[in-house]
Amino acid sequence: DASVLPVESTLREGEQFANAFFDTETKVKIAKALDDFGVDYIELTSPAASEQSRKDCETICKLGLKAKILTHVRCHMDDARIAVETGVDGVDVVIGTSSHLREHSHGKDMTYIIKTAIQVIEFVKSKGLEVRFSSEDSFRSDLVDLLSVYSAVDKVGVNRVGIADTVGCASPRQVFDLVRTLRGVVQCDIETHFHEDTGCAIANAFCALEAGATHVDTSVLGIGERNGITPLGGLIARMVVADRDYVLSKYNLRKLKEVESLVADIVSFSSCGGLSMSWWLTNSVQINIPFNNPITGFCAFTHKAGIHAKAILNSASSYEILKPEDYGLSRYVHFASRLTGWNAIKSRVEQLGLSMTDAQVKLCTQKVKAMADVRPLAIDDVDSVIRAFHLDLTAAEE
Ligand code: HCA
Ligand code: CU
C-alpha cells in the first residue's frame, strides 16, 4: 500500500550518524527541505539531550511548516515533561524491551515498562498531543512481553505503536510475521523502524507495509546510528512502483535529488565546525549520493549494453521501472563501450546532426567496437570516430 506515511527522522536518527553535526541553521534548512518535499512527519532529537537540542526543537516548531513536528524521548516522565513544552505536535516514546537492553541499558522489568509507558502516554495525551510508543530492539524481545506492552498502551489510546529493528537483524519474513501478529492485537496505527546492518532496511519496510503497518521511519540517504536506516529516496522508489499516481500527487519528487545533495553536503563538511584543521584533515569524510542509489545514483538511468540501448530507444519502459522525468532527471544511453550496438550509435549520429544509412551506421559501429576493445573510450573518442567515418563517406561521395 503506497499510502504509507514516512516519519522523517533525519533530524533525530540522522543526527546519530557518525559524521552529523547539525547547528540550528542547518536543522532549519533540512526541516524546510523535507517540508517542501512533502513529508507528513518530521522527528527531532530529544529536547532532553542538551539545552541546544531543546532550543532547536522550539525553533523548528515555530517555523509553521505543513509537516507535523515530533520529538523522540525515553519512556520517562522527566523527558515527557520537557517534550510537551517545546511546541511539538507529538511525542515518540521509546524503551528497550529485549533482555539485551533491559539488562545492559536501563535495567527495568516489564511491569515497570508497562506502568511507566501508560503514565507517559496519558500525560502526553492530556496535553492534546499525539503519542507513539515504541519498543527498542523489538526483534530480540520476547513476543509475549511485546504483545502485552502493546495491547496495554493501545487500551489507553496511544496513537501509534512502533516496532524497531534496532540492530538490523530482522529479515523481511520475520518483519511480515511480527507486524501481521501485532495487527491482530492492536487497533492503533503501527510505525516501523529498520536499521540497515544487513542490507534489508527498504525490503523490511515494504514487508511491514504489506503486513499492515502504516508508518515507516526514514532518513535522507539513510543516515543514522552505524550504517543507518531505511532511506527516504529508496522507500519512495519502492512506493512509486506500488502506486505511482498517488506518490506523484503527494510528494514533490523533483526535489528529491536536491534534498539528498543538501544532506550529503552537510554531513561532508559539518565535522570541521569548531575543530582544529589537523583534526579535520584526518577525520573529515566526503559523503556523496551512493553511485547505485535508487533514483539519484549517477547511473540509475544509464543504459549500456547494446540490447538494452536498442529497446530503451524504442520504448523507455522496456528496461526502466521508474521514469527519470518524474524526478526531474534524464535518461542516458551509454554508447562509448565495446558492448554498444548500432541503435545506440545511430542515436548518437543523429544527436551530432549527421546523416548516415543504417548500413553505414553498422560499419561505423564496428569501428567503435574495435577501438573500445583496445582501451576505455570517452564520449569524445566515439564522437571523433563517428565524425571521421562520416567525413570519409562524404569524401567518397564527391
Ligand atoms: C536507538 C533508538 C531507535 C529508536 C527507534 C524508535 C532504535 O537505538 O537509537 O523509536 O522506534 O533504533 O531502536 O532509533
Ligand atoms: Cu534507530
Side-chain angles (χ1 to χ4, degrees):
D1 179 1
S3 68
V4 50
L5 298 168
V7 172
E8 228 303 323
S9 191
T10 302
L11 292 174
R12 195 283 293 174
E13 177 78 48
E15 200 176 10
Q16 296 174 228
F17 174 52
N19 225 40
F21 172 83
F22 300 152
D23 59 18
T24 312
E25 189 193 338
T26 304
K27 288 184 187 178
V28 168
K29 247 190 229 165
I30 294 175
K32 284 185 171 164
L34 289 170
D35 196 51
D36 280 349
F37 181 73
V39 301
D40 294 86
Y41 290 95
I42 295 177
E43 186 183 66
L44 308 178
T45 291
S46 171
S50 74
E51 181 51 15
Q52 192 58 48
S53 303
R54 193 186 63 74
K55 287 186 184 152
D56 291 347
C57 197
E58 289 185 350
T59 304
I60 290 170
C61 289
K62 287 194 194 111
L63 294 174
L65 303 178
K66 293 185 289 303
K68 287 189 182 170
I69 308 299
L70 307 171
T71 189
H72 184 264
V73 298
R74 292 168 296 190
C75 186
H76 199 290
M77 283 302 287
D78 292 350
D79 286 14
R81 284 193 195 96
I82 303 171
V84 300
E85 297 302 320
T86 54
V88 292
D89 301 292
V91 181
D92 286 348
V93 177
V94 70
I95 189 162
T97 45
S98 68
S99 58
H100 298 267
L101 297 184
R102 277 170 25 221
E103 284 155 28
H104 303 292
S105 175
H106 55 70
K108 306 290 200 270
D109 63 19
M110 291 310 295
T111 318
Y112 170 91
I113 292 176
I114 294 181
K115 193 177 117 245
T116 317
I118 291 176
Q119 195 188 5
V120 169
I121 290 161
E122 287 182 333
F123 171 71
V124 176
K125 281 185 48 133
S126 75
K127 302 285 172 182
L129 305 182
E130 255 185 47
V131 59
R132 180 218 67 177
F133 173 85
S134 177
S135 67
E136 205 184 343
D137 208 6
S138 318
F139 289 87
R140 294 190 303 168
S141 300
D142 180 79
L143 184 62
V144 174
D145 282 353
L146 271 187
L147 297 179
S148 57
V149 191
Y150 289 137
S151 78
V153 298
D154 189 39
K155 288 201 183 77
V156 297
V158 78
N159 297 88
R160 299 186 296 286
V161 288
I163 289 185
D165 181 19
T166 305
V167 296
C169 63
S171 71
R173 246 161 72 173
Q174 288 172 318
V175 169
F176 189 91
D177 288 350
L178 182 55
V179 174
R180 192 28 82 82
T181 305
L182 181 58
R183 190 62 288 170
V185 172
V186 297
Q187 304 291 311
C188 63
D189 282 349
I190 299 177
E191 179 173 331
T192 54
H193 179 98
F194 299 104
H195 275 264
E196 184 68 325
D197 301 73
T198 62
C200 291
I202 298 173
N204 282 346
F206 191 68
C207 265
L209 297 173
E210 288 185 314
T214 49
H215 296 63
V216 173
D217 294 0
T218 64
S219 69
V220 177
L221 298 174
I223 61 168
E225 194 77 36
R226 303 185 308 285
N227 73 335
I229 61 166
T230 307
L232 176 65
L235 184 66
I236 289 283
R238 192 52 256 162
M239 284 156 50
V240 166
V241 175
D243 188 348
R244 178 168 174 270
D245 291 345
Y246 171 78
V247 180
L248 255 67
S249 67
K250 175 130 182 69
Y251 299 99
N252 195 350
L253 298 182
R254 292 171 163 262
K255 292 262 167 176
L256 180 64
K257 183 145 193 193
E258 202 178 303
V259 176
E260 291 187 346
S261 305
L262 171 75
V263 170
D265 285 351
I266 287 168
V267 292
S268 293
F269 301 109
S270 63
S271 52
C272 64
L275 295 158
S276 73
M277 191 57 160
S278 65
W279 187 95
W280 186 74
L281 285 173
T282 45
N283 293 284
S284 72
V285 186
Q286 173 69 46
I287 307 292
N288 296 308
I289 293 175
F291 75 90
N292 59 350
N293 214 35
I295 303 171
T296 51
F298 90 95
C299 53
F301 297 107
T302 295
H303 304 272
K304 181 168 168 184
I307 294 169
H308 287 235
K310 174 182 177 184
I312 210 90
L313 289 165
N314 274 326
S315 160
S317 65
S318 58
Y319 283 104
E320 270 174 7
I321 196 65
L322 303 171
K323 297 177 190 285
E325 59 273 22
D326 287 348
Y327 313 92
L329 301 171
S330 39
R331 170 178 311 116
Y332 177 64
V333 177
H334 192 304
F335 52 86
S337 92
R338 61 168 71 151
L339 306 183
T340 198
W342 72 272
N343 289 279
I345 298 297
K346 182 178 173 186
S347 149
R348 185 61 181 171
V349 167
E350 286 164 1
Q351 280 172 11
L352 294 175
L354 305 174
S355 80
M356 288 187 204
T357 65
D358 285 356
Q360 290 166 340
V361 172
K362 285 176 187 169
L363 273 174
C364 182
T365 304
Q366 289 317 312
K367 288 204 183 293
V368 174
K369 281 171 163 289
M371 199 164 151
D373 259 347
V374 181
R375 62 177 178 85
L377 297 185
I379 292 173
D380 279 354
D381 295 327
V382 179
D383 288 352
S384 305
V385 173
I386 295 174
R387 287 208 164 90
F389 185 85
H390 187 259
L391 212 63
D392 286 349
L393 289 178
T394 358
E397 274 164 21
E398 277 158 10

